[in-house]
Amino acid sequence: MEVRVAKVYNPYPAGETNVYIINDELVFDSGINLPQSVDMLKKALSDANLDFESARLVISHPHADHFGSAYLFRNVMAHENACHKLYDAEKRYFELVYAHFGLEGMPEALAEKMRERAEKKYAGLVKPCTCCGRVGEKIEANGDVLDVIHVPGHSYGHIALYHRESGSLFSGDILLDGITPNPVIEPLNEFERMPVLEQYLNTLKKLYGLEVSRVYPGHRGVIENHRKVIEEYVRSFENRSFQVLEIADEKTAFEIATTLFDDIRQLFLIMSETIAQVDFLANRGFLERGDDGRYRVTAERRELEEEWRGIKEEIFRA
């Protein structure tokens, strides 16, 4: 299997987006919709004798730096949940996100200001992609067959591609070198949301059990030891849960987030991570959310330590 990688400009902290061209036929992710990014993408396609008409594009997950320019392609595939978000460039998704931020204690004026700012900024980074179709369980690229694996946690609509013969995993953002990806909030409606940290842990268990020789991630360099990265992620999630439990009593998620993090410039990610943690702790009986939106601690640290021992044992024996 031949793999080309184009490092496409991305203004977000994760750095350049890796666009992979597999066997000069299948493209994995497109990058953001900025002029310099699209120029880099066009050059990579041209080097593989492809263009937007002939290439088949698979989107790893519906975040701007991975699907922003997908609308340029004629043939686009993704998880069904991702396709729905591509259709309106995540407009409805963000409306629901900021509604949840308000429910979790963020001042209404701040939530509305963030929504308006994000909508204005996002408009220059993505365009709706209306030709997205649901990807199957397997996909072929010039004779090589790749398994399509659902890997929710960073995004519910996240998929990875796995080539069993070579042990190659195209991971998108679910595994990155030197970064623990954010368990990004996934609203179901104005009042309910998915348990994203639970989903992420289940995904890590699934990936830990795979025989992988090389991970091609959505940003940064190739990963040679995926199990080591997974172990680091689990430790990071575990440590954060202890920090949240320690300070959560009688606070809203917004108050927890702004207490936990000194630098709140990335408030969207800070709120997402905090909400993922309070949902995880509440679902497992360590926190209780009152009608006033404040959380009460209902268990001790030693009980959470025991909980994590069980979680790690289940993941690492996979």
Side-chain angles (χ1 to χ4, degrees):
M1 182 176 64
E2 181 183 354
V3 179
R4 298 175 185 260
V5 59
K7 292 193 171 290
V8 172
Y9 172 74
N10 168 39
Y12 291 139
E16 296 167 319
T17 299
N18 294 331
V19 172
Y20 295 102
I21 302 176
I22 304 169
N23 289 345
D24 288 348
E25 180 186 3
L26 189 69
V27 182
F28 193 55
D29 283 338
S30 64
I32 210 159
N33 188 45
L34 288 171
Q36 61 267 51
S37 307
V38 173
D39 286 345
M40 292 174 177
L41 176 61
K42 286 180 180 177
K43 172 66 165 57
L45 292 174
S46 177
D47 289 345
N49 294 315
L50 292 172
D51 56 28
F52 295 127
E53 295 286 321
S54 61
R56 290 185 298 146
L57 173 66
V58 178
I59 296 297
S60 66
H61 64 292
H63 290 168
D65 52 336
H66 294 266
F67 83 89
S69 57
Y71 72 96
L72 295 167
F73 290 77
R74 177 182 291 271
N75 190 338
V76 181
M77 294 166 282
H79 187 275
E80 183 177 13
N81 174 273
C83 282
H84 286 304
K85 291 176 180 173
L86 266 63
Y87 294 154
D88 70 348
E90 295 195 281
K91 185 175 186 296
R92 177 58 177 162
Y93 167 77
F94 281 113
E95 289 173 354
L96 292 175
V97 165
Y98 291 111
H100 277 259
F101 284 1
L103 288 174
E104 294 297 338
M106 179 180 283
E108 184 177 338
L110 177 57
E112 179 60 19
K113 184 177 180 180
M114 285 184 67
R115 186 195 66 76
E116 291 174 355
R117 185 185 300 165
E119 186 174 317
K120 182 178 179 181
K121 180 179 179 181
Y122 218 59
L125 304 178
V126 298
K127 286 188 178 181
C129 175
T130 58
C131 64
C132 183
R134 181 179 178 180
V135 70
E137 294 181 358
K138 295 181 183 295
I139 192 164
E140 188 264 343
N142 271 336
D144 283 306
V145 177
L146 297 100
D147 295 333
V148 177
I149 306 173
H150 186 212
V151 288
H154 179 60
S155 167
Y156 183 74
H158 205 311
I159 59 171
L161 302 182
Y162 178 50
H163 185 241
R164 291 183 182 274
E165 186 176 338
S166 65
S168 299
L169 179 72
F170 297 86
S171 70
D173 282 1
I174 205 70
L175 294 180
L176 298 173
D177 185 29
I179 308 174
T180 302
N182 196 287
V184 178
I185 186 172
E186 284 284 351
L188 291 166
N189 52 46
E190 288 85 350
F191 304 103
E192 299 174 297
R193 54 185 177 257
M194 295 184 185
V196 292
L197 184 50
E198 294 282 5
Q199 291 175 346
Y200 213 136
L201 293 171
N202 287 333
T203 287
L204 294 178
K205 176 184 176 182
K206 184 189 303 183
L207 296 179
Y208 198 85
L210 289 182
E211 293 302 322
V212 175
S213 60
R214 175 169 286 202
V215 177
Y216 295 97
H219 306 276
R220 300 194 172 191
V222 168
I223 298 168
E224 303 287 352
N225 187 341
H226 79 298
R227 291 193 176 105
K228 180 181 177 182
V229 171
I230 290 171
E231 289 162 6
E232 291 170 354
Y233 283 10
V234 173
R235 283 195 296 270
S236 176
F237 291 141
E238 177 185 16
N239 290 338
R240 184 71 77 203
S241 74
F242 291 132
Q243 292 173 344
V244 170
L245 186 71
E246 183 178 345
I247 66 171
D249 205 39
E250 297 299 332
K251 290 186 177 70
T252 65
F254 178 74
E255 290 168 341
I256 295 167
T258 53
T259 301
L260 193 60
F261 295 92
D262 294 327
D263 185 352
I264 61 170
R265 285 176 295 180
Q266 295 289 331
L267 191 52
F268 176 89
L269 295 178
I270 290 169
M271 281 295 290
S272 273
E273 182 174 352
T274 303
I275 289 171
Q277 286 284 351
V278 296
D279 286 351
F280 168 80
L281 291 168
N283 290 341
R284 288 182 176 254
F286 294 92
L287 293 179
E288 184 177 279
R289 188 179 188 276
D291 292 338
D292 58 357
R294 296 184 179 277
Y295 290 87
R296 280 87 187 179
V297 174
T298 54
E300 297 181 5
R301 179 187 172 99
R302 60 179 177 78
E303 296 172 280
L304 184 56
E305 291 172 349
E306 183 62 31
E307 189 82 6
W308 273 105
R309 274 193 286 272
I311 291 169
K312 290 185 286 188
E313 181 180 340
E314 185 174 351
I315 292 173
F316 300 147
R317 73 181 177 201

mmCIF file of all heavy atoms in Angstrom, residues 188-216:
data_model
loop_
_atom_site.group_PDB
_atom_site.id
_atom_site.type_symbol
_atom_site.label_atom_id
_atom_site.label_comp_id
_atom_site.label_asym_id
_atom_site.label_seq_id
_atom_site.Cartn_x
_atom_site.Cartn_y
_atom_site.Cartn_z
ATOM 1 N N LEU A 188 -27.401 15.896 21.874
ATOM 2 C CA LEU A 188 -28.444 15.169 21.167
ATOM 3 C C LEU A 188 -29.616 16.097 20.847
ATOM 4 O O LEU A 188 -30.276 15.961 19.821
ATOM 5 C CB LEU A 188 -28.932 13.994 22.013
ATOM 6 C CG LEU A 188 -27.930 12.856 22.198
ATOM 7 C CD1 LEU A 188 -28.382 11.933 23.324
ATOM 8 C CD2 LEU A 188 -27.766 12.076 20.906
ATOM 9 N N ASN A 189 -29.867 17.017 21.758
ATOM 10 C CA ASN A 189 -30.891 18.045 21.604
ATOM 11 C C ASN A 189 -30.535 19.166 22.575
ATOM 12 O O ASN A 189 -29.405 19.212 23.078
ATOM 13 C CB ASN A 189 -32.301 17.470 21.858
ATOM 14 C CG ASN A 189 -32.394 16.720 23.180
ATOM 15 O OD1 ASN A 189 -31.921 17.197 24.209
ATOM 16 N ND2 ASN A 189 -32.991 15.540 23.163
ATOM 17 N N GLU A 190 -31.490 20.053 22.867
ATOM 18 C CA GLU A 190 -31.189 21.200 23.739
ATOM 19 C C GLU A 190 -30.857 20.796 25.176
ATOM 20 O O GLU A 190 -30.247 21.575 25.916
ATOM 21 C CB GLU A 190 -32.363 22.183 23.756
ATOM 22 C CG GLU A 190 -32.537 22.978 22.470
ATOM 23 C CD GLU A 190 -33.356 22.225 21.427
ATOM 24 O OE1 GLU A 190 -33.623 21.016 21.639
ATOM 25 O OE2 GLU A 190 -33.738 22.836 20.419
ATOM 26 N N PHE A 191 -31.231 19.570 25.579
ATOM 27 C CA PHE A 191 -31.084 19.198 26.990
ATOM 28 C C PHE A 191 -30.268 17.927 27.225
ATOM 29 O O PHE A 191 -29.809 17.696 28.343
ATOM 30 C CB PHE A 191 -32.468 19.027 27.629
ATOM 31 C CG PHE A 191 -33.343 20.237 27.499
ATOM 32 C CD1 PHE A 191 -34.359 20.275 26.561
ATOM 33 C CD2 PHE A 191 -33.131 21.352 28.291
ATOM 34 C CE1 PHE A 191 -35.164 21.392 26.423
ATOM 35 C CE2 PHE A 191 -33.934 22.478 28.162
ATOM 36 C CZ PHE A 191 -34.949 22.498 27.224
ATOM 37 N N GLU A 192 -30.085 17.111 26.209
ATOM 38 C CA GLU A 192 -29.384 15.841 26.377
ATOM 39 C C GLU A 192 -28.121 15.820 25.518
ATOM 40 O O GLU A 192 -28.064 16.467 24.468
ATOM 41 C CB GLU A 192 -30.293 14.675 25.959
ATOM 42 C CG GLU A 192 -31.568 14.546 26.771
ATOM 43 C CD GLU A 192 -32.473 13.471 26.210
ATOM 44 O OE1 GLU A 192 -32.934 13.627 25.056
ATOM 45 O OE2 GLU A 192 -32.718 12.475 26.918
ATOM 46 N N ARG A 193 -27.132 15.051 25.970
ATOM 47 C CA ARG A 193 -25.895 14.926 25.214
ATOM 48 C C ARG A 193 -25.301 13.536 25.414
ATOM 49 O O ARG A 193 -25.661 12.801 26.336
ATOM 50 C CB ARG A 193 -24.892 16.005 25.616
ATOM 51 C CG ARG A 193 -24.587 16.068 27.105
ATOM 52 C CD ARG A 193 -23.674 17.230 27.454
ATOM 53 N NE ARG A 193 -23.443 17.311 28.891
ATOM 54 C CZ ARG A 193 -24.027 18.193 29.700
ATOM 55 N NH1 ARG A 193 -24.866 19.090 29.208
ATOM 56 N NH2 ARG A 193 -23.758 18.201 30.993
ATOM 57 N N MET A 194 -24.375 13.199 24.546
ATOM 58 C CA MET A 194 -23.744 11.889 24.601
ATOM 59 C C MET A 194 -22.677 11.842 25.691
ATOM 60 O O MET A 194 -22.056 12.861 26.008
ATOM 61 C CB MET A 194 -23.106 11.552 23.253
ATOM 62 C CG MET A 194 -24.086 11.402 22.122
ATOM 63 S SD MET A 194 -23.243 10.902 20.597
ATOM 64 C CE MET A 194 -24.599 10.963 19.436
ATOM 65 N N PRO A 195 -22.414 10.652 26.249
ATOM 66 C CA PRO A 195 -21.346 10.489 27.255
ATOM 67 C C PRO A 195 -19.990 10.337 26.559
ATOM 68 O O PRO A 195 -19.459 9.235 26.409
ATOM 69 C CB PRO A 195 -21.761 9.208 27.982
ATOM 70 C CG PRO A 195 -22.469 8.404 26.928
ATOM 71 C CD PRO A 195 -23.172 9.397 26.045
ATOM 72 N N VAL A 196 -19.417 11.449 26.133
ATOM 73 C CA VAL A 196 -18.285 11.388 25.213
ATOM 74 C C VAL A 196 -17.023 10.779 25.833
ATOM 75 O O VAL A 196 -16.247 10.113 25.122
ATOM 76 C CB VAL A 196 -17.972 12.778 24.607
ATOM 77 C CG1 VAL A 196 -19.096 13.214 23.692
ATOM 78 C CG2 VAL A 196 -17.726 13.821 25.681
ATOM 79 N N LEU A 197 -16.781 10.996 27.112
ATOM 80 C CA LEU A 197 -15.582 10.398 27.716
ATOM 81 C C LEU A 197 -15.738 8.879 27.815
ATOM 82 O O LEU A 197 -14.775 8.131 27.575
ATOM 83 C CB LEU A 197 -15.300 11.005 29.082
ATOM 84 C CG LEU A 197 -14.011 10.527 29.778
ATOM 85 C CD1 LEU A 197 -12.804 10.609 28.862
ATOM 86 C CD2 LEU A 197 -13.769 11.301 31.073
ATOM 87 N N GLU A 198 -16.928 8.417 28.142
ATOM 88 C CA GLU A 198 -17.180 6.967 28.134
ATOM 89 C C GLU A 198 -16.940 6.412 26.732
ATOM 90 O O GLU A 198 -16.334 5.346 26.573
ATOM 91 C CB GLU A 198 -18.615 6.667 28.577
ATOM 92 C CG GLU A 198 -18.928 7.024 30.016
ATOM 93 C CD GLU A 198 -18.400 5.997 31.018
ATOM 94 O OE1 GLU A 198 -17.707 5.040 30.615
ATOM 95 O OE2 GLU A 198 -18.680 6.173 32.221
ATOM 96 N N GLN A 199 -17.412 7.123 25.718
ATOM 97 C CA GLN A 199 -17.204 6.686 24.339
ATOM 98 C C GLN A 199 -15.713 6.644 23.999
ATOM 99 O O GLN A 199 -15.243 5.705 23.341
ATOM 100 C CB GLN A 199 -17.935 7.619 23.381
ATOM 101 C CG GLN A 199 -19.444 7.521 23.462
ATOM 102 C CD GLN A 199 -20.147 8.547 22.596
ATOM 103 O OE1 GLN A 199 -19.534 9.514 22.125
ATOM 104 N NE2 GLN A 199 -21.437 8.362 22.378
ATOM 105 N N TYR A 200 -14.985 7.666 24.455
ATOM 106 C CA TYR A 200 -13.549 7.710 24.155
ATOM 107 C C TYR A 200 -12.831 6.517 24.795
ATOM 108 O O TYR A 200 -11.985 5.860 24.162
ATOM 109 C CB TYR A 200 -12.947 9.020 24.666
ATOM 110 C CG TYR A 200 -11.816 9.556 23.817
ATOM 111 C CD1 TYR A 200 -11.748 10.905 23.484
ATOM 112 C CD2 TYR A 200 -10.809 8.718 23.340
ATOM 113 C CE1 TYR A 200 -10.726 11.405 22.698
ATOM 114 C CE2 TYR A 200 -9.776 9.212 22.561
ATOM 115 C CZ TYR A 200 -9.745 10.556 22.235
ATOM 116 O OH TYR A 200 -8.723 11.033 21.451
ATOM 117 N N LEU A 201 -13.160 6.211 26.024
ATOM 118 C CA LEU A 201 -12.518 5.079 26.702
ATOM 119 C C LEU A 201 -12.836 3.761 25.999
ATOM 120 O O LEU A 201 -11.964 2.895 25.856
ATOM 121 C CB LEU A 201 -12.956 5.032 28.164
ATOM 122 C CG LEU A 201 -12.469 6.209 29.036
ATOM 123 C CD1 LEU A 201 -13.146 6.174 30.399
ATOM 124 C CD2 LEU A 201 -10.947 6.185 29.188
ATOM 125 N N ASN A 202 -14.073 3.598 25.541
ATOM 126 C CA ASN A 202 -14.428 2.392 24.801
ATOM 127 C C ASN A 202 -13.666 2.302 23.483
ATOM 128 O O ASN A 202 -13.240 1.221 23.063
ATOM 129 C CB ASN A 202 -15.936 2.360 24.536
ATOM 130 C CG ASN A 202 -16.744 2.056 25.775
ATOM 131 O OD1 ASN A 202 -16.261 1.404 26.696
ATOM 132 N ND2 ASN A 202 -17.969 2.549 25.824
ATOM 133 N N THR A 203 -13.484 3.452 22.825
ATOM 134 C CA THR A 203 -12.689 3.483 21.592
ATOM 135 C C THR A 203 -11.240 3.101 21.863
ATOM 136 O O THR A 203 -10.623 2.334 21.106
ATOM 137 C CB THR A 203 -12.766 4.879 20.957
ATOM 138 O OG1 THR A 203 -14.060 5.051 20.370
ATOM 139 C CG2 THR A 203 -11.711 5.060 19.875
ATOM 140 N N LEU A 204 -10.673 3.619 22.951
ATOM 141 C CA LEU A 204 -9.278 3.290 23.273
ATOM 142 C C LEU A 204 -9.117 1.801 23.557
ATOM 143 O O LEU A 204 -8.110 1.190 23.166
ATOM 144 C CB LEU A 204 -8.817 4.120 24.474
ATOM 145 C CG LEU A 204 -8.730 5.633 24.241
ATOM 146 C CD1 LEU A 204 -8.304 6.356 25.511
ATOM 147 C CD2 LEU A 204 -7.785 5.964 23.090
ATOM 148 N N LYS A 205 -10.109 1.215 24.196
ATOM 149 C CA LYS A 205 -10.076 -0.229 24.419
ATOM 150 C C LYS A 205 -10.072 -0.974 23.086
ATOM 151 O O LYS A 205 -9.309 -1.929 22.882
ATOM 152 C CB LYS A 205 -11.282 -0.654 25.258
ATOM 153 C CG LYS A 205 -11.386 -2.170 25.458
ATOM 154 C CD LYS A 205 -12.649 -2.538 26.220
ATOM 155 C CE LYS A 205 -12.799 -4.066 26.317
ATOM 156 N NZ LYS A 205 -14.052 -4.446 27.017
ATOM 157 N N LYS A 206 -10.909 -0.552 22.167
ATOM 158 C CA LYS A 206 -11.001 -1.181 20.852
ATOM 159 C C LYS A 206 -9.667 -1.086 20.104
ATOM 160 O O LYS A 206 -9.178 -2.061 19.539
ATOM 161 C CB LYS A 206 -12.107 -0.506 20.046
ATOM 162 C CG LYS A 206 -12.386 -1.097 18.687
ATOM 163 C CD LYS A 206 -13.349 -0.224 17.878
ATOM 164 C CE LYS A 206 -14.660 0.008 18.582
ATOM 165 N NZ LYS A 206 -15.609 0.805 17.741
ATOM 166 N N LEU A 207 -9.060 0.105 20.126
ATOM 167 C CA LEU A 207 -7.814 0.314 19.390
ATOM 168 C C LEU A 207 -6.628 -0.363 20.068
ATOM 169 O O LEU A 207 -5.693 -0.802 19.397
ATOM 170 C CB LEU A 207 -7.548 1.816 19.244
ATOM 171 C CG LEU A 207 -8.581 2.599 18.424
ATOM 172 C CD1 LEU A 207 -8.203 4.078 18.375
ATOM 173 C CD2 LEU A 207 -8.710 2.034 17.013
ATOM 174 N N TYR A 208 -6.657 -0.444 21.382
ATOM 175 C CA TYR A 208 -5.556 -1.099 22.111
ATOM 176 C C TYR A 208 -5.441 -2.563 21.701
ATOM 177 O O TYR A 208 -4.334 -3.122 21.664
ATOM 178 C CB TYR A 208 -5.804 -0.995 23.616
ATOM 179 C CG TYR A 208 -4.580 -1.229 24.467
ATOM 180 C CD1 TYR A 208 -3.698 -0.187 24.740
ATOM 181 C CD2 TYR A 208 -4.308 -2.474 25.022
ATOM 182 C CE1 TYR A 208 -2.571 -0.384 25.531
ATOM 183 C CE2 TYR A 208 -3.185 -2.690 25.811
ATOM 184 C CZ TYR A 208 -2.319 -1.633 26.060
ATOM 185 O OH TYR A 208 -1.200 -1.847 26.849
ATOM 186 N N GLY A 209 -6.573 -3.180 21.374
ATOM 187 C CA GLY A 209 -6.573 -4.591 21.006
ATOM 188 C C GLY A 209 -6.175 -4.861 19.569
ATOM 189 O O GLY A 209 -5.988 -6.031 19.191
ATOM 190 N N LEU A 210 -6.034 -3.815 18.742
ATOM 191 C CA LEU A 210 -5.641 -4.009 17.348
ATOM 192 C C LEU A 210 -4.129 -4.192 17.230
ATOM 193 O O LEU A 210 -3.356 -3.604 17.984
ATOM 194 C CB LEU A 210 -6.046 -2.799 16.503
ATOM 195 C CG LEU A 210 -7.532 -2.575 16.227
ATOM 196 C CD1 LEU A 210 -7.688 -1.353 15.324
ATOM 197 C CD2 LEU A 210 -8.172 -3.792 15.582
ATOM 198 N N GLU A 211 -3.736 -4.981 16.257
ATOM 199 C CA GLU A 211 -2.313 -5.109 15.921
ATOM 200 C C GLU A 211 -1.979 -4.005 14.927
ATOM 201 O O GLU A 211 -2.389 -4.054 13.762
ATOM 202 C CB GLU A 211 -2.013 -6.492 15.343
ATOM 203 C CG GLU A 211 -2.185 -7.620 16.345
ATOM 204 C CD GLU A 211 -1.305 -7.447 17.587
ATOM 205 O OE1 GLU A 211 -0.145 -6.989 17.429
ATOM 206 O OE2 GLU A 211 -1.774 -7.749 18.698
ATOM 207 N N VAL A 212 -1.265 -2.992 15.404
ATOM 208 C CA VAL A 212 -0.975 -1.807 14.593
ATOM 209 C C VAL A 212 0.534 -1.616 14.526
ATOM 210 O O VAL A 212 1.212 -1.558 15.558
ATOM 211 C CB VAL A 212 -1.640 -0.554 15.204
ATOM 212 C CG1 VAL A 212 -1.233 0.702 14.431
ATOM 213 C CG2 VAL A 212 -3.161 -0.709 15.208
ATOM 214 N N SER A 213 1.055 -1.518 13.320
ATOM 215 C CA SER A 213 2.489 -1.278 13.151
ATOM 216 C C SER A 213 2.802 0.201 12.984
ATOM 217 O O SER A 213 3.889 0.663 13.322
ATOM 218 C CB SER A 213 3.014 -2.037 11.928
ATOM 219 O OG SER A 213 2.349 -1.608 10.748
ATOM 220 N N ARG A 214 1.803 0.945 12.469
ATOM 221 C CA ARG A 214 2.033 2.364 12.206
ATOM 222 C C ARG A 214 0.697 3.091 12.209
ATOM 223 O O ARG A 214 -0.265 2.637 11.606
ATOM 224 C CB ARG A 214 2.736 2.527 10.862
ATOM 225 C CG ARG A 214 2.940 3.949 10.408
ATOM 226 C CD ARG A 214 3.866 4.037 9.228
ATOM 227 N NE ARG A 214 5.247 3.794 9.648
ATOM 228 C CZ ARG A 214 6.311 4.196 8.960
ATOM 229 N NH1 ARG A 214 6.152 4.841 7.826
ATOM 230 N NH2 ARG A 214 7.523 3.948 9.384
ATOM 231 N N VAL A 215 0.671 4.246 12.913
ATOM 232 C CA VAL A 215 -0.521 5.090 12.930
ATOM 233 C C VAL A 215 -0.233 6.344 12.115
ATOM 234 O O VAL A 215 0.753 7.042 12.355
ATOM 235 C CB VAL A 215 -0.924 5.496 14.364
ATOM 236 C CG1 VAL A 215 -2.124 6.438 14.333
ATOM 237 C CG2 VAL A 215 -1.237 4.264 15.195
ATOM 238 N N TYR A 216 -1.129 6.623 11.164
ATOM 239 C CA TYR A 216 -1.074 7.855 10.390
ATOM 240 C C TYR A 216 -2.114 8.815 10.983
ATOM 241 O O TYR A 216 -3.307 8.707 10.685
ATOM 242 C CB TYR A 216 -1.381 7.582 8.919
ATOM 243 C CG TYR A 216 -0.355 6.726 8.225
ATOM 244 C CD1 TYR A 216 -0.555 5.352 8.072
ATOM 245 C CD2 TYR A 216 0.815 7.284 7.708
ATOM 246 C CE1 TYR A 216 0.384 4.559 7.420
ATOM 247 C CE2 TYR A 216 1.766 6.495 7.059
ATOM 248 C CZ TYR A 216 1.538 5.135 6.916
ATOM 249 O OH TYR A 216 2.471 4.355 6.274
#
